[in-house]
Amino acid sequence: MRKHILFFSITSFVLVFFSSCFDLDEIVYHDEVPDTFIQGEEQLKSVVTSTYTWFRFAATARKAYSAQELPADQIVGVAKQNGSGSYDNGRQVDLHWHTYTPENECIEEAWDVWIQLLAGANMNLDIIKNVNYKHIGLDDDLKTRNIAETIILRDIALFYLMDLFGNVPAPTVYDANELPVQKTPAEIFKIIDEDINTVCADLPLGGTSASYGRVTQGVAKTLQAVMYLNAENYGVEPKWRETKEICKDIISGKYGKYELGKTFYEAFDWNNKTSKEIILSAPMNEVFTGRPEIFYTWNHRGSRDFWGLNYRGNNQLGVSPSYNPEGELYQFSHKLGTPIANYDPKDLRISKPAHPDEENGGGMFQYGELKSSLGKAKGEKEYKGETIALVDQVARFKSGKPVSELESTVMHGEENSCYRWSRYRIYPVSESEKYFQYDYVVFRYADIYYMLAESMLRLGEPGYAKYVNEVKQRNFLPGDFTPYTDATLDLDELLCDRGREFIGEGTRRRDLIRYGYFNLPWWDKPQTEEYKKIFPIPQRALSANPNLKQNPGYEDHIKE
């Protein structure tokens, strides 16, 4: 009878076969790991690296990315008429309007990928702890490091689950026989905090080529700083002073040598593996891992010809509009929304479009006419046969109605609606050595400067503006940059500039919650209820585990 290695995933049993490494007819993993399970270094590597594989899946999952970005005010999934862009069964509209339910597929995927990492890390941790490293020619220092890095990967999963769903299962041991119960965010916060304080010293310093793509001391302390910055989001007393101290220690080099990139695109270019700004990434490769699905979502379908690609975009996501159909700038409280208009016109990230003919790929956003030396992006629906020109507006201009009568909501887009985020530089397929060779950035050094500045500002300590300036100055030509002073950089402006720096990087929802702005209205999104700050537990998870209880506010959606 064929036997299996069983991976417990909390809401279900997930079977994963390592057929290339193990003889599945001879070796079984039960509650205890037999000595024969790991027979050599290569088998051990397959266990350790599988946790990183689950991390990569979670960090780059397309629908989970939408769940992080679309409830905030910078990125939208505009529904376009005539099938010119993906409506995505309304799930992206629900994220934007905060009308999400336990059946939303983006929320389900966010739950699934981080639960999978949590379960896989616990299982692998159990395996690693039971391996006698000396028997396979390895030393116990490596075992200590492997345990530490697996614990931190588990903590990353716990952090995202806590951040997105609030009350979640938080097992720290592998148990295939017991369904876990939920813990509060404050309890999970404590687990992660204690883990980092316990194992950080067992990890290598960060910022070296040898440690790239692996969990390091810098990764662990950055995770702790992010958690501390947002402590109040999780029902914990503010930790501004602790955030400040960690950030200062990271900048001092205590946890590894990191550097800010000289340009805004360095950490997002094809060779970003060499960037000292990256603290944690999910390594990618066009051949071995495939490109992350999230990159399909931004490009117009005709952009294949404009960029010289071998695939079509799905014309799904865009940057939230700054202007109404009549060309008037929207005005929302606390500088929310209107992300494109919030950039200084001299800012190199916006002064030129992302374009294959521009030096260094141009700026961070695709806009205007999509016409290059490689080809043109032609419309397929409303603008069929025409060269697409992306606009910072949402309306159905081709409807024939007077502009003054046009509606502008997430339901009223066209195939050219919205600028498109192009933080990662796009290369044509003809440049095979660069084509989708960049790694996906999860933590970067620039965030340490912004977290330090915010914690100092909230503590009332002077000198915080200089840390933002150190990052921001690279976005301007000499003579075009006007540095902040403490007098000109208040909390709202810091949030605004943080939005400019980290747009599209999955932090905005968390930032708005920390500021107390998440439920405020912007563009066509109305004021929403406080409980929408966290997502509902997916219905299928509730059905699989009777120990789980739905989050407050979503009880009416529970199905038997």
Side-chain angles (χ1 to χ4, degrees), residues 274-313:
T274 65
S275 173
K276 293 286 189 179
E277 184 168 334
I278 295 177
I279 295 176
L280 177 64
S281 68
M284 305 296 299
N285 180 280
E286 168 71 7
V287 176
F288 297 108
T289 67
R291 68 184 73 94
E293 276 192 331
I294 60 174
F295 296 123
Y296 289 81
T297 64
W298 294 94
N299 288 339
H300 184 275
R301 286 178 56 79
S303 63
R304 177 183 63 179
D305 300 319
F306 171 67
W307 288 106
L309 308 176
N310 63 358
Y311 72 94
R312 288 183 177 274

mmCIF file of all heavy atoms in Angstrom, residues 274-313:
data_model
loop_
_atom_site.group_PDB
_atom_site.id
_atom_site.type_symbol
_atom_site.label_atom_id
_atom_site.label_comp_id
_atom_site.label_asym_id
_atom_site.label_seq_id
_atom_site.Cartn_x
_atom_site.Cartn_y
_atom_site.Cartn_z
ATOM 1 N N THR A 274 21.121 41.783 -5.535
ATOM 2 C CA THR A 274 22.336 42.462 -5.076
ATOM 3 C C THR A 274 22.028 43.709 -4.261
ATOM 4 O O THR A 274 22.944 44.361 -3.760
ATOM 5 C CB THR A 274 23.212 42.861 -6.275
ATOM 6 O OG1 THR A 274 22.515 43.833 -7.080
ATOM 7 C CG2 THR A 274 23.544 41.657 -7.141
ATOM 8 N N SER A 275 20.749 44.052 -4.113
ATOM 9 C CA SER A 275 20.379 45.278 -3.411
ATOM 10 C C SER A 275 20.534 45.118 -1.906
ATOM 11 O O SER A 275 19.963 44.202 -1.296
ATOM 12 C CB SER A 275 18.936 45.666 -3.738
ATOM 13 O OG SER A 275 18.522 46.769 -2.944
ATOM 14 N N LYS A 276 21.263 46.025 -1.292
ATOM 15 C CA LYS A 276 21.437 46.035 0.161
ATOM 16 C C LYS A 276 20.216 46.614 0.875
ATOM 17 O O LYS A 276 20.161 46.622 2.103
ATOM 18 C CB LYS A 276 22.674 46.854 0.536
ATOM 19 C CG LYS A 276 23.993 46.252 0.081
ATOM 20 C CD LYS A 276 24.378 45.056 0.916
ATOM 21 C CE LYS A 276 25.784 44.593 0.613
ATOM 22 N NZ LYS A 276 26.179 43.428 1.442
ATOM 23 N N GLU A 277 19.249 47.112 0.099
ATOM 24 C CA GLU A 277 18.044 47.660 0.714
ATOM 25 C C GLU A 277 17.052 46.568 1.097
ATOM 26 O O GLU A 277 16.212 46.760 1.976
ATOM 27 C CB GLU A 277 17.374 48.665 -0.225
ATOM 28 C CG GLU A 277 16.169 49.345 0.400
ATOM 29 C CD GLU A 277 15.663 50.539 -0.378
ATOM 30 O OE1 GLU A 277 16.463 51.160 -1.107
ATOM 31 O OE2 GLU A 277 14.478 50.866 -0.256
ATOM 32 N N ILE A 278 17.145 45.425 0.467
ATOM 33 C CA ILE A 278 16.196 44.349 0.734
ATOM 34 C C ILE A 278 16.574 43.622 2.025
ATOM 35 O O ILE A 278 17.686 43.126 2.165
ATOM 36 C CB ILE A 278 16.141 43.367 -0.443
ATOM 37 C CG1 ILE A 278 15.582 44.067 -1.686
ATOM 38 C CG2 ILE A 278 15.279 42.158 -0.082
ATOM 39 C CD1 ILE A 278 15.549 43.190 -2.922
ATOM 40 N N ILE A 279 15.630 43.567 2.940
ATOM 41 C CA ILE A 279 15.816 42.824 4.186
ATOM 42 C C ILE A 279 15.252 41.415 4.045
ATOM 43 O O ILE A 279 15.857 40.440 4.487
ATOM 44 C CB ILE A 279 15.169 43.573 5.361
ATOM 45 C CG1 ILE A 279 15.893 44.906 5.602
ATOM 46 C CG2 ILE A 279 15.176 42.717 6.630
ATOM 47 C CD1 ILE A 279 15.271 45.763 6.694
ATOM 48 N N LEU A 280 14.088 41.295 3.407
ATOM 49 C CA LEU A 280 13.489 39.986 3.163
ATOM 50 C C LEU A 280 12.780 40.008 1.823
ATOM 51 O O LEU A 280 12.026 40.945 1.524
ATOM 52 C CB LEU A 280 12.486 39.623 4.256
ATOM 53 C CG LEU A 280 11.734 38.294 4.061
ATOM 54 C CD1 LEU A 280 12.694 37.107 4.094
ATOM 55 C CD2 LEU A 280 10.637 38.116 5.104
ATOM 56 N N SER A 281 13.030 38.979 1.030
ATOM 57 C CA SER A 281 12.351 38.846 -0.249
ATOM 58 C C SER A 281 11.901 37.413 -0.439
ATOM 59 O O SER A 281 12.341 36.501 0.267
ATOM 60 C CB SER A 281 13.282 39.248 -1.404
ATOM 61 O OG SER A 281 14.337 38.300 -1.532
ATOM 62 N N ALA A 282 11.005 37.225 -1.403
ATOM 63 C CA ALA A 282 10.627 35.887 -1.850
ATOM 64 C C ALA A 282 11.328 35.665 -3.179
ATOM 65 O O ALA A 282 10.947 36.267 -4.185
ATOM 66 C CB ALA A 282 9.111 35.787 -2.017
ATOM 67 N N PRO A 283 12.383 34.855 -3.206
ATOM 68 C CA PRO A 283 13.147 34.663 -4.442
ATOM 69 C C PRO A 283 12.275 34.123 -5.570
ATOM 70 O O PRO A 283 11.470 33.207 -5.368
ATOM 71 C CB PRO A 283 14.231 33.662 -4.037
ATOM 72 C CG PRO A 283 14.410 33.888 -2.576
ATOM 73 C CD PRO A 283 13.024 34.177 -2.069
ATOM 74 N N MET A 284 12.436 34.718 -6.745
ATOM 75 C CA MET A 284 11.645 34.336 -7.907
ATOM 76 C C MET A 284 12.573 34.093 -9.090
ATOM 77 O O MET A 284 13.702 34.574 -9.132
ATOM 78 C CB MET A 284 10.653 35.450 -8.270
ATOM 79 C CG MET A 284 9.734 35.894 -7.151
ATOM 80 S SD MET A 284 8.606 34.605 -6.575
ATOM 81 C CE MET A 284 7.682 34.272 -8.066
ATOM 82 N N ASN A 285 12.069 33.349 -10.056
ATOM 83 C CA ASN A 285 12.799 33.095 -11.286
ATOM 84 C C ASN A 285 11.793 32.694 -12.345
ATOM 85 O O ASN A 285 10.942 31.828 -12.098
ATOM 86 C CB ASN A 285 13.852 32.003 -11.070
ATOM 87 C CG ASN A 285 14.658 31.695 -12.310
ATOM 88 O OD1 ASN A 285 14.197 30.974 -13.188
ATOM 89 N ND2 ASN A 285 15.863 32.242 -12.373
ATOM 90 N N GLU A 286 11.877 33.295 -13.518
ATOM 91 C CA GLU A 286 10.920 33.034 -14.591
ATOM 92 C C GLU A 286 10.843 31.554 -14.931
ATOM 93 O O GLU A 286 9.768 31.018 -15.203
ATOM 94 C CB GLU A 286 11.309 33.842 -15.821
ATOM 95 C CG GLU A 286 10.580 33.479 -17.116
ATOM 96 C CD GLU A 286 9.117 33.883 -17.128
ATOM 97 O OE1 GLU A 286 8.682 34.565 -16.184
ATOM 98 O OE2 GLU A 286 8.410 33.520 -18.079
ATOM 99 N N VAL A 287 11.967 30.866 -14.877
ATOM 100 C CA VAL A 287 12.000 29.463 -15.276
ATOM 101 C C VAL A 287 11.593 28.537 -14.141
ATOM 102 O O VAL A 287 10.736 27.662 -14.284
ATOM 103 C CB VAL A 287 13.402 29.075 -15.796
ATOM 104 C CG1 VAL A 287 13.459 27.578 -16.109
ATOM 105 C CG2 VAL A 287 13.764 29.906 -17.027
ATOM 106 N N PHE A 288 12.192 28.738 -12.956
ATOM 107 C CA PHE A 288 12.045 27.765 -11.876
ATOM 108 C C PHE A 288 10.822 27.999 -10.990
ATOM 109 O O PHE A 288 10.262 27.051 -10.444
ATOM 110 C CB PHE A 288 13.313 27.756 -11.023
ATOM 111 C CG PHE A 288 14.532 27.320 -11.783
ATOM 112 C CD1 PHE A 288 15.516 28.233 -12.119
ATOM 113 C CD2 PHE A 288 14.685 26.006 -12.184
ATOM 114 C CE1 PHE A 288 16.630 27.839 -12.835
ATOM 115 C CE2 PHE A 288 15.797 25.601 -12.899
ATOM 116 C CZ PHE A 288 16.779 26.522 -13.227
ATOM 117 N N THR A 289 10.425 29.236 -10.791
ATOM 118 C CA THR A 289 9.260 29.500 -9.934
ATOM 119 C C THR A 289 8.106 30.126 -10.699
ATOM 120 O O THR A 289 6.986 30.164 -10.205
ATOM 121 C CB THR A 289 9.629 30.447 -8.773
ATOM 122 O OG1 THR A 289 9.948 31.744 -9.302
ATOM 123 C CG2 THR A 289 10.813 29.916 -7.987
ATOM 124 N N GLY A 290 8.376 30.640 -11.903
ATOM 125 C CA GLY A 290 7.345 31.376 -12.622
ATOM 126 C C GLY A 290 7.202 32.775 -12.065
ATOM 127 O O GLY A 290 7.641 33.070 -10.963
ATOM 128 N N ARG A 291 6.588 33.648 -12.822
ATOM 129 C CA ARG A 291 6.400 35.015 -12.349
ATOM 130 C C ARG A 291 5.204 35.072 -11.401
ATOM 131 O O ARG A 291 4.244 34.314 -11.568
ATOM 132 C CB ARG A 291 6.193 35.965 -13.522
ATOM 133 C CG ARG A 291 4.909 35.783 -14.271
ATOM 134 C CD ARG A 291 4.832 36.705 -15.485
ATOM 135 N NE ARG A 291 5.710 36.266 -16.532
ATOM 136 C CZ ARG A 291 5.326 35.480 -17.536
ATOM 137 N NH1 ARG A 291 4.085 35.037 -17.589
ATOM 138 N NH2 ARG A 291 6.166 35.132 -18.481
ATOM 139 N N PRO A 292 5.256 35.939 -10.395
ATOM 140 C CA PRO A 292 4.108 36.070 -9.491
ATOM 141 C C PRO A 292 2.859 36.488 -10.260
ATOM 142 O O PRO A 292 2.914 37.351 -11.137
ATOM 143 C CB PRO A 292 4.551 37.174 -8.523
ATOM 144 C CG PRO A 292 6.028 37.177 -8.587
ATOM 145 C CD PRO A 292 6.374 36.815 -10.002
ATOM 146 N N GLU A 293 1.735 35.891 -9.923
ATOM 147 C CA GLU A 293 0.480 36.199 -10.600
ATOM 148 C C GLU A 293 0.102 37.670 -10.484
ATOM 149 O O GLU A 293 -0.589 38.197 -11.349
ATOM 150 C CB GLU A 293 -0.648 35.352 -10.016
ATOM 151 C CG GLU A 293 -0.759 33.963 -10.604
ATOM 152 C CD GLU A 293 -2.062 33.304 -10.201
ATOM 153 O OE1 GLU A 293 -2.592 33.621 -9.113
ATOM 154 O OE2 GLU A 293 -2.559 32.490 -10.974
ATOM 155 N N ILE A 294 0.547 38.316 -9.401
ATOM 156 C CA ILE A 294 0.115 39.699 -9.194
ATOM 157 C C ILE A 294 0.576 40.610 -10.320
ATOM 158 O O ILE A 294 -0.027 41.666 -10.552
ATOM 159 C CB ILE A 294 0.600 40.257 -7.842
ATOM 160 C CG1 ILE A 294 2.116 40.243 -7.745
ATOM 161 C CG2 ILE A 294 -0.023 39.512 -6.693
ATOM 162 C CD1 ILE A 294 2.643 40.918 -6.499
ATOM 163 N N PHE A 295 1.644 40.245 -11.054
ATOM 164 C CA PHE A 295 2.118 41.121 -12.115
ATOM 165 C C PHE A 295 1.224 41.066 -13.350
ATOM 166 O O PHE A 295 1.272 41.953 -14.190
ATOM 167 C CB PHE A 295 3.563 40.788 -12.469
ATOM 168 C CG PHE A 295 4.521 41.045 -11.340
ATOM 169 C CD1 PHE A 295 5.326 40.040 -10.843
ATOM 170 C CD2 PHE A 295 4.588 42.293 -10.741
ATOM 171 C CE1 PHE A 295 6.187 40.272 -9.783
ATOM 172 C CE2 PHE A 295 5.445 42.538 -9.675
ATOM 173 C CZ PHE A 295 6.244 41.523 -9.203
ATOM 174 N N TYR A 296 0.422 40.035 -13.487
ATOM 175 C CA TYR A 296 -0.535 39.979 -14.588
ATOM 176 C C TYR A 296 -1.640 41.009 -14.412
ATOM 177 O O TYR A 296 -2.249 41.457 -15.379
ATOM 178 C CB TYR A 296 -1.199 38.600 -14.647
ATOM 179 C CG TYR A 296 -0.331 37.463 -15.103
ATOM 180 C CD1 TYR A 296 0.553 36.832 -14.226
ATOM 181 C CD2 TYR A 296 -0.407 36.978 -16.401
ATOM 182 C CE1 TYR A 296 1.328 35.768 -14.637
ATOM 183 C CE2 TYR A 296 0.368 35.918 -16.821
ATOM 184 C CZ TYR A 296 1.235 35.308 -15.937
ATOM 185 O OH TYR A 296 2.005 34.261 -16.346
ATOM 186 N N THR A 297 -1.931 41.337 -13.170
ATOM 187 C CA THR A 297 -3.161 42.066 -12.872
ATOM 188 C C THR A 297 -3.114 43.539 -13.250
ATOM 189 O O THR A 297 -4.152 44.176 -13.360
ATOM 190 C CB THR A 297 -3.503 41.943 -11.369
ATOM 191 O OG1 THR A 297 -2.483 42.572 -10.604
ATOM 192 C CG2 THR A 297 -3.591 40.494 -10.957
ATOM 193 N N TRP A 298 -1.926 44.077 -13.434
ATOM 194 C CA TRP A 298 -1.805 45.519 -13.666
ATOM 195 C C TRP A 298 -1.864 45.911 -15.139
ATOM 196 O O TRP A 298 -2.367 46.978 -15.492
ATOM 197 C CB TRP A 298 -0.490 46.031 -13.070
ATOM 198 C CG TRP A 298 -0.452 45.930 -11.591
ATOM 199 C CD1 TRP A 298 0.068 44.912 -10.843
ATOM 200 C CD2 TRP A 298 -0.984 46.863 -10.657
ATOM 201 N NE1 TRP A 298 -0.104 45.153 -9.506
ATOM 202 C CE2 TRP A 298 -0.746 46.358 -9.370
ATOM 203 C CE3 TRP A 298 -1.636 48.089 -10.796
ATOM 204 C CZ2 TRP A 298 -1.140 47.033 -8.219
ATOM 205 C CZ3 TRP A 298 -2.022 48.762 -9.651
ATOM 206 C CH2 TRP A 298 -1.778 48.231 -8.383
ATOM 207 N N ASN A 299 -1.332 45.084 -15.998
ATOM 208 C CA ASN A 299 -1.148 45.473 -17.390
ATOM 209 C C ASN A 299 -2.420 45.340 -18.216
ATOM 210 O O ASN A 299 -3.190 44.379 -18.059
ATOM 211 C CB ASN A 299 -0.049 44.628 -18.043
ATOM 212 C CG ASN A 299 1.330 44.992 -17.546
ATOM 213 O OD1 ASN A 299 1.556 46.078 -17.034
ATOM 214 N ND2 ASN A 299 2.266 44.070 -17.703
ATOM 215 N N HIS A 300 -2.603 46.282 -19.134
ATOM 216 C CA HIS A 300 -3.649 46.167 -20.134
ATOM 217 C C HIS A 300 -3.346 44.958 -21.015
ATOM 218 O O HIS A 300 -2.187 44.572 -21.204
ATOM 219 C CB HIS A 300 -3.696 47.449 -20.981
ATOM 220 C CG HIS A 300 -4.814 47.465 -21.974
ATOM 221 N ND1 HIS A 300 -4.707 46.882 -23.219
ATOM 222 C CD2 HIS A 300 -6.061 47.983 -21.900
ATOM 223 C CE1 HIS A 300 -5.850 47.044 -23.871
ATOM 224 N NE2 HIS A 300 -6.678 47.707 -23.097
ATOM 225 N N ARG A 301 -4.368 44.346 -21.555
ATOM 226 C CA ARG A 301 -4.146 43.151 -22.380
ATOM 227 C C ARG A 301 -3.224 43.438 -23.569
ATOM 228 O O ARG A 301 -2.403 42.610 -23.955
ATOM 229 C CB ARG A 301 -5.493 42.607 -22.876
ATOM 230 C CG ARG A 301 -6.279 41.899 -21.782
ATOM 231 C CD ARG A 301 -7.630 41.419 -22.289
ATOM 232 N NE ARG A 301 -7.533 40.554 -23.449
ATOM 233 C CZ ARG A 301 -7.217 39.265 -23.392
ATOM 234 N NH1 ARG A 301 -6.954 38.693 -22.223
ATOM 235 N NH2 ARG A 301 -7.179 38.538 -24.487
ATOM 236 N N GLY A 302 -3.336 44.634 -24.122
ATOM 237 C CA GLY A 302 -2.496 44.983 -25.273
ATOM 238 C C GLY A 302 -1.078 45.371 -24.913
ATOM 239 O O GLY A 302 -0.251 45.615 -25.801
ATOM 240 N N SER A 303 -0.780 45.413 -23.610
ATOM 241 C CA SER A 303 0.565 45.820 -23.197
ATOM 242 C C SER A 303 1.618 44.796 -23.576
ATOM 243 O O SER A 303 2.812 45.077 -23.536
ATOM 244 C CB SER A 303 0.602 46.068 -21.686
ATOM 245 O OG SER A 303 0.323 44.862 -20.977
ATOM 246 N N ARG A 304 1.193 43.609 -23.963
ATOM 247 C CA ARG A 304 2.150 42.604 -24.451
ATOM 248 C C ARG A 304 2.982 43.182 -25.592
ATOM 249 O O ARG A 304 4.198 42.986 -25.645
ATOM 250 C CB ARG A 304 1.392 41.364 -24.932
ATOM 251 C CG ARG A 304 2.296 40.285 -25.520
ATOM 252 C CD ARG A 304 1.485 39.124 -26.042
ATOM 253 N NE ARG A 304 0.610 39.532 -27.139
ATOM 254 C CZ ARG A 304 -0.205 38.698 -27.795
ATOM 255 N NH1 ARG A 304 -0.268 37.423 -27.437
ATOM 256 N NH2 ARG A 304 -0.971 39.132 -28.776
ATOM 257 N N ASP A 305 2.345 43.897 -26.485
ATOM 258 C CA ASP A 305 3.060 44.480 -27.623
ATOM 259 C C ASP A 305 3.830 45.733 -27.221
ATOM 260 O O ASP A 305 4.930 45.978 -27.725
ATOM 261 C CB ASP A 305 2.068 44.806 -28.744
ATOM 262 C CG ASP A 305 1.335 43.576 -29.236
ATOM 263 O OD1 ASP A 305 1.987 42.522 -29.376
ATOM 264 O OD2 ASP A 305 0.114 43.658 -29.460
ATOM 265 N N PHE A 306 3.280 46.500 -26.310
ATOM 266 C CA PHE A 306 3.937 47.726 -25.844
ATOM 267 C C PHE A 306 5.243 47.417 -25.123
ATOM 268 O O PHE A 306 6.261 48.087 -25.322
ATOM 269 C CB PHE A 306 2.963 48.460 -24.913
ATOM 270 C CG PHE A 306 3.552 49.626 -24.172
ATOM 271 C CD1 PHE A 306 3.963 50.766 -24.834
ATOM 272 C CD2 PHE A 306 3.675 49.588 -22.781
ATOM 273 C CE1 PHE A 306 4.485 51.850 -24.141
ATOM 274 C CE2 PHE A 306 4.188 50.657 -22.083
ATOM 275 C CZ PHE A 306 4.605 51.797 -22.764
ATOM 276 N N TRP A 307 5.244 46.379 -24.297
ATOM 277 C CA TRP A 307 6.425 46.009 -23.508
ATOM 278 C C TRP A 307 7.264 44.917 -24.151
ATOM 279 O O TRP A 307 8.387 44.660 -23.713
ATOM 280 C CB TRP A 307 6.007 45.546 -22.109
ATOM 281 C CG TRP A 307 5.525 46.627 -21.199
ATOM 282 C CD1 TRP A 307 4.239 46.875 -20.821
ATOM 283 C CD2 TRP A 307 6.320 47.610 -20.535
ATOM 284 N NE1 TRP A 307 4.179 47.941 -19.969
ATOM 285 C CE2 TRP A 307 5.446 48.417 -19.768
ATOM 286 C CE3 TRP A 307 7.684 47.884 -20.504
ATOM 287 C CZ2 TRP A 307 5.900 49.478 -18.985
ATOM 288 C CZ3 TRP A 307 8.133 48.933 -19.720
ATOM 289 C CH2 TRP A 307 7.259 49.723 -18.986
ATOM 290 N N GLY A 308 6.728 44.221 -25.149
ATOM 291 C CA GLY A 308 7.460 43.111 -25.753
ATOM 292 C C GLY A 308 7.435 41.873 -24.879
ATOM 293 O O GLY A 308 8.448 41.189 -24.715
ATOM 294 N N LEU A 309 6.262 41.556 -24.327
ATOM 295 C CA LEU A 309 6.112 40.430 -23.406
ATOM 296 C C LEU A 309 5.630 39.183 -24.139
ATOM 297 O O LEU A 309 5.241 39.247 -25.313
ATOM 298 C CB LEU A 309 5.117 40.800 -22.297
ATOM 299 C CG LEU A 309 5.374 42.111 -21.557
ATOM 300 C CD1 LEU A 309 4.249 42.390 -20.562
ATOM 301 C CD2 LEU A 309 6.721 42.074 -20.845
ATOM 302 N N ASN A 310 5.607 38.062 -23.437
ATOM 303 C CA ASN A 310 5.076 36.833 -24.019
ATOM 304 C C ASN A 310 3.754 36.432 -23.370
ATOM 305 O O ASN A 310 3.341 35.279 -23.434
ATOM 306 C CB ASN A 310 6.097 35.691 -23.909
ATOM 307 C CG ASN A 310 6.419 35.314 -22.469
ATOM 308 O OD1 ASN A 310 5.911 35.932 -21.531
ATOM 309 N ND2 ASN A 310 7.263 34.305 -22.289
ATOM 310 N N TYR A 311 3.092 37.373 -22.718
ATOM 311 C CA TYR A 311 1.798 37.104 -22.105
ATOM 312 C C TYR A 311 0.961 38.377 -22.145
ATOM 313 O O TYR A 311 1.465 39.487 -22.306
ATOM 314 C CB TYR A 311 1.957 36.650 -20.654
ATOM 315 C CG TYR A 311 2.380 37.774 -19.712
ATOM 316 C CD1 TYR A 311 1.428 38.509 -19.004
ATOM 317 C CD2 TYR A 311 3.717 38.115 -19.566
ATOM 318 C CE1 TYR A 311 1.806 39.540 -18.166
ATOM 319 C CE2 TYR A 311 4.106 39.149 -18.725
ATOM 320 C CZ TYR A 311 3.146 39.856 -18.026
ATOM 321 O OH TYR A 311 3.529 40.888 -17.206
ATOM 322 N N ARG A 312 -0.332 38.203 -22.017
ATOM 323 C CA ARG A 312 -1.242 39.339 -21.935
ATOM 324 C C ARG A 312 -1.564 39.643 -20.475
ATOM 325 O O ARG A 312 -1.707 38.726 -19.663
ATOM 326 C CB ARG A 312 -2.554 39.040 -22.668
ATOM 327 C CG ARG A 312 -2.427 39.020 -24.186
ATOM 328 C CD ARG A 312 -3.790 38.799 -24.804
ATOM 329 N NE ARG A 312 -3.735 38.836 -26.253
ATOM 330 C CZ ARG A 312 -3.816 39.967 -26.970
ATOM 331 N NH1 ARG A 312 -3.966 41.121 -26.355
ATOM 332 N NH2 ARG A 312 -3.773 39.925 -28.269
ATOM 333 N N GLY A 313 -1.686 40.916 -20.158
ATOM 334 C CA GLY A 313 -2.178 41.277 -18.841
ATOM 335 C C GLY A 313 -3.669 41.019 -18.758
ATOM 336 O O GLY A 313 -4.326 40.766 -19.770
#
